Amino acid sequence: MRERMSDTEALMWNLEKDPFLSSTFANVTILDQAPELDRFRAKMTVAVESVPRLRQRVVPAFGRLAPPEWRTDPDFDLDHHIRRIALPGEGTVRDLLDLAAVFVNDPFDRTRPLWEFVFVEGLAGGRTAMLQKLHHTITDGEGGVRMSVAFLDFARHPAGDEPSPPSDPTTAAPHSPGHNGVLATAADSVAHDLRRLVGIGRRSVNDVAAIVRSPGTLPGLGADAIATAQSLGRLLMVNDRAHSPLWTQRSLKRRIEVLRLPLEEARRTAKALGGTVNDLFVSGAAAGAGAYHREMGLPVDELRISMPVSIRTDKAAGGNAFSPARVLVPVQMDDPAEFLAAVRERLSATKGERALTVAGAAAGLVNLLPTSLSVRFARQQVQTVDFATSNVRGAPFDLFIAGAKIEANYPIGPVAGTAFNLTTLSSGGYLDMGMNIDSVAVAEPVLLRRCVEDAYAALMAVG
């Protein structure tokens, strides 16, 4: 695994100096009983050895000449990252979600590894919850699901479930050679920048050589370059503001709402309407947002959403492999089939943008700006977005954590300067959805959740 962040990860790290642009994401996992914490801790002892990011902290490069790097935390303490608390009395799901809103919004200690798991006891019915929080520089949603295999089981008491940790994770691993001291860091940063420039130079020489060998390819290369530049402009340089006349303010105040759909029913409905489960997911979110505006007396025709498009080609646990995208979607649903078809068309056009594969290079350019300018640029861009969506594919069957069955697993995506984020995760036969809401931007968050639920009900009635 590489030691430096990618340009996209470095941009997320740098932008988080503005708390409105935090990229932290989380899960609210509800368990049918209290897990065996010693057993869970033993699994995580193994996990932090097999997934280096879990025991590494971020070290900035000298003068920002290169992306920050990951280094083993010499003071790593597993107990700092795995904790246990209790709700007072018979805690409700609402109590849990209010606690989760505070937990997710609390910034990480940037001198430690960027993850925290908290077990919350005291839920009504003898249940327990697990709040999981990771910084987006560690991984994206798909990578996070793969990373979770380290502590998930397929049965309550699987055979041979006694992991033997290779070493104590609180014992610091030695730093890699050449990483000690300011001078070494500066030299490594400069070397990284030179390697990147040399790489660009080599690609340029290769392109020139190709043209010399085959002059007829020049017009095609020019057309490709123009098409890619135009595509990049459509993705990154949106000039008009967000379209909602209601969601005009932004704050750090959060409220979490949750909802769920039966997965097989959602699949049947999506197929009946001529789309995918993701098309159904985005259509319900868009229609619900439109219904909210009508309920509030300010109807709107379109809203702009942001969504990550996966460009992952490996099966790694961890790391980021996505490109951010924005798309205007209709929000007035009269005929469900026609509405889903219209949303699907917009999503397909965006996913087909050729610039998705080069967005990381654009992030590298933004990273060269002073932090104040990169934050200002990012703020301008998120002001074009009404709300965020994300669809993460999980396991459609039952899973267990240290002897406790997962009853629900609600993903909580970063709001990142929008009015709300709706993320869905397939879990145990359901599409579990977490809605992370800026409760100043959205004055009636409970109404918003009800409008989205009603929109899904109207879509599912067709299937």
Side-chain angles (χ1 to χ4, degrees):
M1 184 176 290
R2 68 179 185 275
E3 291 187 347
R4 288 198 179 274
M5 289 183 179
S6 69
D7 287 325
T8 299
E9 291 162 353
L11 182 59
M12 290 189 289
W13 175 255
N14 292 329
L15 292 180
E16 195 169 76
K17 292 176 182 177
D18 180 347
F20 280 86
L21 302 176
S22 171
S23 61
T24 295
F25 68 97
N27 277 71
V28 178
T29 305
I30 299 179
L31 307 170
D32 68 341
Q33 64 182 40
E36 300 170 26
L37 292 185
D38 288 344
R39 179 172 154 190
F40 179 79
R41 193 180 187 285
K43 276 184 168 289
M44 290 305 299
T45 299
V46 176
V48 297
E49 291 289 345
S50 60
V51 184
R53 288 291 179 269
L54 295 179
R55 60 178 296 142
Q56 292 174 332
R57 62 188 179 94
V58 178
V59 177
F62 183 80
R64 292 180 61 181
L65 294 174
E69 63 179 320
W70 298 99
R71 293 192 201 167
T72 299
D73 181 4
D75 301 313
F76 181 78
D77 180 3
L78 190 63
D79 290 330
H80 174 81
H81 300 274
I82 302 174
R83 301 193 303 277
R84 180 173 62 177
I85 62 175
L87 293 169
E90 287 282 291
T92 65
V93 172
R94 182 68 262 159
D95 294 332
L96 173 66
L97 296 179
D98 289 343
L99 173 64
V102 175
F103 171 72
V104 175
N105 210 34
D106 189 30
F108 281 106
D109 179 347
R110 289 165 74 94
T111 67
R112 293 178 179 268
L114 304 172
W115 63 278
E116 294 178 21
F117 294 169
V118 176
F119 288 97
V120 184
E121 300 173 348
L123 277 177
R127 296 176 298 169
T128 292
M130 179 181 178
L131 305 181
Q132 310 164 48
K133 181 169 70 171
L134 287 87
H135 197 279
H136 223 313
T137 53
I138 292 180
T139 188
D140 54 24
E142 185 176 347
V145 168
R146 292 174 178 173
M147 187 180 292
S148 67
V149 171
F151 60 81
L152 293 173
D153 295 314
F154 301 111
R156 195 178 296 273
H157 299 291
D161 189 40
E162 293 297 333
S164 299
S167 64
D168 183 352
T170 60
T171 301
H175 291 313
S176 301
H179 287 319
N180 295 312
V182 174
L183 291 179
T185 300
D188 188 61
S189 298
V190 172
H192 174 89
D193 211 37
L194 288 174
R195 286 193 296 270
R196 183 158 56 176
L197 290 173
V198 168
I200 294 172
R202 285 175 177 169
R203 289 193 294 274
S204 299
V205 170
N206 289 339
D207 288 345
V208 171
I211 294 171
V212 171
R213 288 193 301 270
S214 305
T217 63
L218 181 58
L221 288 173
D224 284 347
I226 291 171
T228 299
Q230 291 172 335
S231 176
L232 195 60
R234 287 191 296 270
L235 285 179
L236 300 181
M237 301 303 295
V238 177
N239 294 318
D240 61 326
R241 293 183 64 86
H243 286 221
S244 171
L246 289 171
W247 302 333
T248 56
Q249 295 180 281
R250 296 293 184 266
S251 77
L252 295 176
K253 190 175 181 180
R254 299 288 180 263
R255 181 181 173 94
I256 293 176
E257 296 286 339
V258 296
L259 56 152
R260 63 189 339 204
L261 298 176
L263 179 57
E264 284 305 316
E265 186 177 342
R267 285 173 173 164
R268 288 196 302 270
T269 299
K271 184 176 181 179
L273 293 174
T276 66
V277 170
N278 185 64
D279 297 329
L280 177 73
F281 164 64
V282 176
S283 296
Y292 176 88
H293 281 74
R294 291 191 297 276
E295 288 285 337
M296 299 293 285
L298 286 172
V300 64
D301 294 327
E302 293 181 318
L303 294 172
R304 181 174 286 112
I305 67 171
S306 64
M307 62 180 186
V309 177
S310 177
I311 54 175
R312 187 177 293 275
T313 57
D314 58 28
K315 296 183 178 181
N320 284 271
F322 74 95
S323 182
R326 288 172 286 188
V327 56
L328 275 173
V329 293
V331 297
Q332 173 66 47
M333 181 170 65
D334 297 318
D335 178 88
E338 292 179 1
F339 181 76
L340 186 140
V343 171
R344 177 179 173 82
E345 182 179 3
R346 303 279 185 96
L347 296 180
S348 297
T350 300
K351 291 176 182 178
E353 290 283 6
R354 60 197 303 154
L356 288 173
T357 57
V358 299
L365 294 176
V366 176
N367 282 332
L368 296 177
L369 298 173
T371 301
S372 59
L373 292 181
S374 59
V375 166
R376 184 184 305 174
F377 173 78
R379 278 273 200 150
Q380 290 172 345
Q381 293 304 302
V382 298
Q383 286 172 359
T384 69
V385 178
D386 293 290
F387 67 96
T389 62
S390 184
N391 181 0
V392 181
R393 182 178 298 177
F397 43 80
D398 290 340
L399 290 171
F400 301 81
I401 297 177
K405 180 182 176 181
I406 295 178
E407 290 189 343
N409 198 7
Y410 300 109
I412 310 299
V415 173
T418 67
F420 70 91
N421 178 306
L422 182 67
T423 298
T424 186
L425 171 69
S426 50
S427 173
Y430 288 89
L431 286 179
D432 286 342
M433 302 184 201
M435 186 178 289
N436 195 3
I437 304 170
D438 180 337
S439 55
V440 170
V442 181
E444 300 290 341
V446 175
L447 174 62
L448 175 62
R449 189 225 342 128
R450 290 174 181 167
C451 287
V452 173
E453 283 181 326
D454 290 344
Y456 284 122
L459 288 164
M460 301 285 272
V462 176

